[in-house]
């Protein structure tokens, strides 16, 4: 089955809700409250892992091509009754993956297993590394020009795996590969607004580094609007943001990790990507990408998104850091480096084994 969105990727109502409840800097900095995608344009988004805890609510917000190894027909049938313009199609199993990906502009990958209490994200490596590798190979074969959003954990390693796979296939464009760290920003904005009694819509905290434990580093000194924090508040907020995923894993007590907030965050990142593809010249998000801002090959920072993907890395966020933040940047480097090397090593070994 093939599908195409008729006008915008979200139904009018979902799109408006998302616009009103998220606060990307770009929207505020231009004084705009809403960006409308070109009604003549048509974009395709595929979700790989669409039957899962993240995939289903994400599909509600971004209903387009849904793929899973599990049956995704019911999810598609259910969503198809929403009176929103985007069409939804379902694809199940490896034999339908190529059809799902043909002509797609944005591929979102939440396929893989989630954590249970007591596990680290890295404990998911053995299962999720192969899943991401296989799916990215299919992306390389069927829609090599697409923006790729990697959600599957451990993101610090799965993104380098995806990069190696794309290199092996000869189609790597570092500007189009993203580890999705939007949830870290969403959490930082929420927790800061709560703590300081600010309007949520006004708050924007850049989060840099990676997506696990101490590699998640909110730059509270760069919060917009400018806010004064005590040292205790900075430490408490930083630790809460770093452990927020674990907070949800423990509260769910074995039933998985964050799904609804992740779907919300992923929909925001998809929306930003589509706005960029559509020609909006003012789109900024944080994401984990190939980078040169911190002596590591991959690093999360604010980026400017354009039609061709990453247009600029906003390295100025790393200047003028507080002593606390500088120490935290230095402290995260060893763990992030080792996660990157683990991902690269895995992909290279697999390639040698296959040769
Ligand atoms: N980047 C981030 O901020 C976050 C990342 N995650 C990660 O997202 C991933 C998914 O989480 P959930 O949706 O809660 O898990 P889930 O288990 O509910 O769903 C995963 C889905 O992936 C599917 N799947 C497995 N192998 C596949 C394959 N080869 N091809 C296509 N689909 C496949 C499964 O059938 C399932 O429907 C986990 O690795 C989790 O750690 C979760 C929250 C936040
Ligand atoms: O904590 C997890 O395993 C899922 C995740 O990445 C998050 O919620 O940030």
């Amino acid at each position: 089955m093939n599908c195409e969105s008729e006008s915008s990727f979200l139904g009018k109502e979902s799109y408006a809700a998302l616009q009103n409840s998220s606060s990307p800097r770009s929207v505020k900095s231009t004084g705009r409250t809403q960006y409308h995608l070109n009604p003549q344009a048509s974009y395709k988004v595929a979700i790989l892992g669409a039957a899962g805890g993240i995939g289903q609510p994400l599909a509600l917000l971004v209903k387009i091509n849904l793929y899973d190894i599990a049956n995704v027909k019911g999810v598609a049938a259910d969503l198809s009754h929403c009176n929103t313009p985007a069409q939804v199609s379902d694809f199940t199993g490896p034999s339908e993956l190529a059809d799902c990906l043909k002509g797609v502009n944005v591929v979102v990958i939440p396929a893989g297993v989630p954590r249970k209490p007591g596990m680290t994200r890295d404990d998911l490596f053995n299962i999720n590394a192969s899943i991401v590798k296989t799916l990215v190979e299919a992306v390389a074969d069927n829609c090599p020009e697409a923006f790729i959003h990697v959600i599957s954990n451990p993101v610090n390693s799965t993104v380098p795996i995806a990069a190696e796979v794309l290199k092996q296939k000869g189609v790597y464009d570092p500007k189009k590969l993203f580890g999705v760290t939007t949830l870290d920003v969403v959490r930082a904005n929420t927790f800061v607004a709560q703590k300081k009694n600010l309007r949520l819509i006004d708050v924007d905290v850049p989060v840099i580094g990676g997506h696990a434990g101490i590699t998640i580093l909110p730059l509270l000194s760069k919060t917009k609007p400018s806010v004064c924090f005590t040292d205790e508040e900075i430490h408490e907020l930083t630790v809460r943001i770093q452990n927020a995923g674990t907070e949800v894993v423990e509260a769910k007590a074995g039933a998985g990790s964050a799904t609804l907030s992740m779907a919300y965050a992923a929909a925001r990142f998809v929306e930003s990507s589509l706005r960029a593809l559509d020609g909006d010249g003012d789109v900024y998000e944080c994401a984990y990408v190939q980078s040169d801002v911190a002596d590591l090959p991959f690093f999360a920072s604010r980026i400017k998104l354009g039609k061709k993907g990453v247009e600029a890395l906003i390295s100025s966020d790393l200047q003028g850091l507080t002593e606390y933040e500088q120490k935290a940047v230095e402290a995260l480097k060893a763990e992030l480096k080792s996660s990157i090397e683990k991902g690269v090593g895995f992909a290279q070994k697999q390639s040698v084994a296959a040769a």
Side-chain angles (χ1 to χ4, degrees), residues 51-54 67-69 110-114 128 151 153 180 211 258-259 262:
I54 295 168
Y67 171 81
D68 207 294
I69 47 165
V113 291
N128 290 353
I151 294 175
N153 271 316
V180 181
H211 181 69
T259 52
M262 181 61 238

Side-chain angles (χ1 to χ4, degrees), residues 48-55 67-70 110-115 124 128 131 135 150-153 155 180-181 183-184 187 211 256-259 262:
L48 312 184
I54 295 168
Y67 171 81
D68 207 294
I69 47 165
V113 291
R115 283 200 285 165
L124 306 172
N128 290 353
I131 293 174
L135 292 174
V150 179
I151 294 175
S152 317
N153 271 316
V155 166
V180 181
T181 59
L183 181 53
D184 300 316
R187 286 168 170 156
H211 181 69
S257 56
T259 52
M262 181 61 238

Side-chain angles (χ1 to χ4, degrees), residues 211-255:
H211 181 69
I214 60 160
T215 72
I216 301 169
L217 181 59
L219 297 181
L220 293 166
S221 70
K222 308 278 175 175
T223 299
K224 298 270 170 50
S226 179
V227 186
C228 283
F229 296 102
T230 64
D231 290 349
E232 290 71 32
E233 284 174 334
I234 287 172
H235 187 64
E236 190 196 314
L237 280 164
T238 301
V239 170
R240 176 147 191 233
I241 294 159
Q242 289 174 333
N243 290 336
T246 306
E247 197 181 292
V248 178
V249 169
E250 282 168 2
K252 291 198 174 181

Side-chain angles (χ1 to χ4, degrees), residues 3-23:
C3 91
E4 205 147 320
S5 70
E6 285 167 354
S7 52
S8 66
F9 76 104
L10 293 171
K12 241 195 219 154
E13 302 85 354
S14 321
Y15 186 65
L18 202 69
Q19 286 279 2
N20 291 336
S21 51
S22 67
S23 60

Side-chain angles (χ1 to χ4, degrees), residues 199-314:
R199 278 188 349 145
L200 257 172
I201 193 133
D202 294 331
V203 179
D204 190 14
V205 183
V207 183
I208 66 164
H211 181 69
I214 60 160
T215 72
I216 301 169
L217 181 59
L219 297 181
L220 293 166
S221 70
K222 308 278 175 175
T223 299
K224 298 270 170 50
S226 179
V227 186
C228 283
F229 296 102
T230 64
D231 290 349
E232 290 71 32
E233 284 174 334
I234 287 172
H235 187 64
E236 190 196 314
L237 280 164
T238 301
V239 170
R240 176 147 191 233
I241 294 159
Q242 289 174 333
N243 290 336
T246 306
E247 197 181 292
V248 178
V249 169
E250 282 168 2
K252 291 198 174 181
S257 56
T259 52
L260 305 175
S261 52
M262 181 61 238
Y264 168 83
R268 166 174 156 173
F269 196 59
V270 169
E271 180 206 321
S272 291
S273 296
L274 293 186
R275 281 199 285 127
L277 284 167
D278 202 46
D280 185 348
D282 198 15
V283 184
Y284 293 84
E285 288 286 357
C286 287
Y288 179 64
V289 294
Q290 181 174 311
S291 180
D292 57 7
V293 303
D295 327 317
L296 287 164
F298 293 89
F299 200 79
S301 68
R302 268 198 318 135
I303 54 172
K304 183 176 196 292
L305 281 167
K307 283 190 174 192
K308 295 185 176 159
V310 179
E311 234 170 49
L313 302 164
I314 312 301

